[in-house]
Structures are given as C-alpha cells and as structure tokens.
Amino acid sequence: MAKKPLGKDSMGIQKTMRLGDYLGDGLGQLPLNVMANLVGQLTYFYTEKVGLAAGMVATMLLVAKFVDAFSDLAMGKIMDMTNSPKGKCRPWFLRMMIPAAVIIIMLFTVPKNAPGSLQMGYVLVTNILLSAVVYTAVSIPYGAIMAIRTESVEERGKMGIVRTVFGYVIGMVIAILLIPITNMLGGDQGAWIKVAVVFAVLSAASLFILYKTSRETSGAADAEADPQDTEEEQVPFVEAIKMLFQNKYWVIMLLANLFVNISYGLSTGGGTYFAKYILGNDNLVALLGAVGLIPTVVGFIIVGPMTKKLGMARTCKVSALIGAIAMVIRAFTPYSIVTTIGCGLFSGFATIPMMCLTGPMVNNCVEYNDWKFGKRMVGMTNSASSFGSKIGSGIGGSLIGWLLALAGYNAAAAAQPGSVNIAIFAFAIYIPLALFVIMAILFHNYDLEKHYVEIVTALKERKAAK
C-alpha cells in the first residue's frame, strides 16, 4: 500500500518526516541524556559516596569539560569530511554503541580506597573519555543530522520537541528514582554501579535503533552526490570559525547554549544538595522530580502551539521571562517547600521550550551559512555551537563544587556551617535568575525566522542557476 504523500509545510517547504521517523530520531536523545544527567549527579556521588573533596571534584569536572568542548570543534570537522556510504552522521551512532555502555559503568567504579592522586586521575580520565570522546562522537552527528534530514523549519521544530520528550523522560527517571533506588540497594558505591549497568544497556540499544532508523536525505546529503558541493564543504578549520562568527544568529545561539547549559548544569547537579541541606531530606529530590513532571508534560503539549503562534525565538523569550519571575519569588522564600514546588512548576516549564527549540534554531543557521558564504558547514555549525553548550554545562556543574568548597562544605561533618546554605541559594536561585534574564535578551535578538523562506528560495534559485 502506497504511503500518503507528505506535502509541504506552512512555509511551502517539502516535508520528509513520518511518525516512525520522529520516534526513531527521538530515541537517540536517550543515551545523550543518560550521560548528561549521570554526569550531573557525579559531584554528589564523588563527595557523598566516595568521599572526594568538593573543590577537587569541581576542578576535575571542569577540566574534562574544557577538553570536551575543544573536542567538539575537531569532531565537527571530522564529520564534515566523512565520506561513507552510510552518510556523514549515521556511522557514528553504531561506532559509539559499545564504548557508550562501557564508559557509563566506568564513571562509578572509582577505586574508593586508592591514593587521592590515583582517584583524581581516574575521575579526570573517565570524564574525558565519556564527554570528550563518546558523548561528542554521538552528539555532533546527532545534532547535525537534523539539518541533513529535512529543510523544513516546522519538521525540525517537531524533531526538537520529540527529542526533548525522550530526553526529559530519562532525565526525570534519573531525577526521581536515582537517589531512592540507590538508597534502597544499600546507598553505597556498589548500588550506583548496579544502576549504571542498566542505563548502559539502554543506551547501547537506543544507539543501535537510531542507526537503523535514521536517514540523510537533504542538504548535505545532496552534497555527497555532487563532487563540486563536496569540495565546497572542505572549508579550512580557521576559515570556518571566522565565517561562523560572522553569522550573527549562530553567535546568538552559541551564547544561548552557553547560558542554557550553565542553568541546566546547576539544576541537575544542585537539586540533591538543596533537598538535603535546605529542605532536610535528600529523598525529597524524588518528590521534587515527580512534581516536575507536571510542567514537563504541559510544556511538551503547548510548546508546539506556542511555536506556531509566536515562532521559536519568541517562544523561548517568553519562557525565559517566566523562569525569571519564578526565581524572583523563590528568592524571597528560599526555605519554603511550598514555594520551591510552586515556583519550580514555572521554572521547570520555562526550560522546556528552550531545550526543544535551541537545536532547530542552531540548524536553521546552516541555511544562513549557505546563503551568506556559499558553504553549509553542517558539522562545524553544530560542533562549534555545542562548544558553548559543553563549556556551559561544565561551568554549571563546577560552580556547585566551587561554591560549596568556598562555603566550607564537608560531607563528613555532622552539621554544615551557615555559609553552605548561602552557597546553595546562589546556585539554586540567584544565578539561575540572572541566566533567565540574559537568555530572554538573547532570544529577543534572534529574528532569522522572518527571513528563512526568503533565504531558502534564494538558495533554490542559486542551485537552479548552476
């Protein structure tokens, strides 16, 4: 039975995606979010379960993130130069399937009674392998395949939403169940390793399914069939970076990803400390995570209609303002669990559109590159923007450890000094408030959608003229 033609989107651009395509593509977000969310819990695991110093942990994690960020740039160039019958992006999903499973488990097998220098080295090496090698080799092709899969802004937006749904499902599982399950299994290092094995198997299976279901059908995929276009893609590394910094929309998204991921790093890594030391029970992180499902579900339901009504950039701007207002209210009642839950509903909602739409907004910059410079640079566009994301998440996670260390935090102490509460308020409320305001300003200045149809039309006319 012949499939029903897909037709064109609201901008008149041919659609290429069906329901199965969206689901298969979205599943690729699961292993990425497993790795990202587990890394977000590492400061708590290293300090509370292994007994490492908070300041040392923060420094090791940040060093790993900086190495990771620079590896993104290299991976983008490698991907742009990839010439495989399976495409530019797909082969990497299969290649990283087993390494992803292995490194997820290795994160939690720190030799507990080893000398401090050996533990430091183990933490640094395993985090570099996970972030700079495995995560990067999956995330750059995964981000770039969106631009290769379809030229439709509408379909890219839907891909972003589906990816975020899959990512948030696993993120919520980790946020709600990780601490209670590991506590139920004994609360020691062995319990965390057992849970890591489960996540490792799920991640490997998801990468295999992504490889089998993904396709490369437009834009850069066409370049593989056209030697002239392939030659045009071989842009020297330094020249590609210079071009990207002349793309104002890419610069905006570079900064937006930086600040979004600082905020994300703070929220994923700081929630357990807030529950334990401000609210009095680290198991409350499960309650906060469960309540967080409400704005998550609402956000996924209405982000599509919001985007259709307001556009991607304005949707993100409105969401950032909602998050800022919620943080202002929390600042006046920091010890209240009612306020923590109530305002958390709104700040949690605020993150959904940004997590859904920043990927499509980055990939829309590919057409702008092609229009302005005659070169798409799909891999470099995604990898250089991901550079900001990695630095942001590294800073976010490390800020927690540094602030705790400055405040005199000691996991072995029977009671923490009052300065620890101030440090927790800083990374849980005050810094996120400033970040929401900055992000609202950035999204206010992203107006690429107004010109997108004009740009795509000009590109088609240019190609026809050749």
Side-chain angles (χ1 to χ4, degrees), residues 39-59:
V39 167
Q41 296 290 337
L42 285 180
T43 299
Y44 182 78
F45 170 76
Y46 289 148
T47 57
E48 297 280 331
K49 306 303 177 183
V50 183
L52 303 182
M56 183 275 285
V57 169
T59 301

Side-chain angles (χ1 to χ4, degrees), residues 328-347:
V328 168
I329 296 173
R330 280 191 68 186
F332 286 99
T333 54
Y335 289 97
S336 169
I337 189 171
V338 174
T339 302
T340 299
I341 293 174
C343 292
L345 294 174
F346 291 95
S347 60

Side-chain angles (χ1 to χ4, degrees), residues 220-277:
D222 296 335
E224 293 174 12
D226 188 333
Q228 180 180 356
D229 288 343
T230 301
E231 183 178 348
E232 288 178 352
E233 282 296 309
Q234 307 309 313
V235 185
F237 181 82
V238 175
E239 181 182 348
I241 293 295
K242 288 180 179 178
M243 288 180 180
L244 288 172
F245 274 98
Q246 294 175 50
N247 181 338
K248 65 178 182 180
Y249 302 110
W250 178 86
V251 173
I252 289 172
M253 293 313 301
L254 173 68
L255 295 173
N257 276 319
L258 173 68
F259 295 122
V260 166
N261 282 277
I262 291 176
S263 179
Y264 185 71
L266 292 173
S267 63
T268 56
T272 307
Y273 289 102
F274 194 91
K276 181 173 183 177
Y277 294 108

Side-chain angles (χ1 to χ4, degrees), residues 110-138:
V110 183
K112 189 170 183 179
N113 297 317
S117 58
L118 179 60
Q119 290 179 321
M120 262 195 315
Y122 189 93
V123 168
L124 181 60
V125 170
T126 51
N127 275 275
I128 287 176
L129 287 174
L130 180 131
S131 299
V133 179
V134 177
Y135 188 98
T136 295
V138 174

